[in-house]
Amino acid sequence: QVQLVESGGGLVQPGGSLRLSCATSGFTSDDHPIGWFRQAPGKEREGVSCITGGSGSTVYADSVKGRFTISRDNTKNTVYLQMNSLKPEDTAVYYCATEFYGSSCVFLRPSGMDYWGRGTLVTVSS
């Protein structure tokens, strides 16, 4: 079955870095877009970044552009989110997700994604 498993979250000081991983199984992940989404306490889930299948084009939310980098290693069926210059407002549970039909990922729309991981908590605090 389709599975996505996030890892790499933790506590980091403002200005620090973390790399999140999304390990996929049960489908040919390089054929499908994989997105990172996040949900802060009391807020709606929002899109952070997406990487498409095939060409590997990338999309970023304005709030993380220039600080976060999404990438994929098809040999490991894993997608990464490198997060630099972290801010307290980046604190959230981070989820990876994929879609088999549609274009929700490239528009960073959580509602259209088909499969989700369980999330990993990122806390940015001094």
Side-chain angles (χ1 to χ4, degrees):
Q1 69 275 27
V2 174
Q3 285 191 319
L4 301 97
V5 180
E6 303 93 338
S7 61
L11 173 64
V12 62
Q13 292 187 340
S17 298
L18 280 176
R19 188 178 79 157
L20 305 184
S21 300
C22 173
T24 68
S25 61
F27 68 108
T28 307
S29 60
D30 51 339
D31 286 346
H32 300 281
I34 306 287
W36 284 98
F37 300 81
R38 67 186 181 186
Q39 188 164 18
K43 294 189 176 181
E44 292 187 356
R45 195 169 297 188
E46 63 176 0
V48 175
S49 183
C50 175
I51 186 165
T52 64
S55 66
S57 298
T58 58
V59 178
Y60 297 94
D62 288 344
S63 58
V64 306
K65 207 170 288 184
R67 299 188 298 123
F68 290 11
T69 302
I70 192 170
S71 62
R72 66 194 309 160
D73 184 339
N74 292 332
T75 66
K76 297 181 179 179
N77 294 321
T78 299
V79 172
Y80 303 98
L81 185 69
Q82 178 67 44
M83 305 187 297
N84 299 328
S85 303
L86 283 161
K87 305 175 181 179
E89 51 264 43
D90 294 318
T91 295
V93 177
Y94 283 72
Y95 301 88
C96 61
T98 190
E99 62 178 335
F100 283 12
Y101 302 101
S103 57
S104 292
C105 190
V106 293
F107 289 103
L108 301 179
R109 282 197 298 251
S111 60
M113 303 303 287
D114 297 316
Y115 298 95
W116 291 84
R118 293 188 175 184
T120 185
L121 176 62
V122 172
T123 303
V124 184
S125 175
S126 54

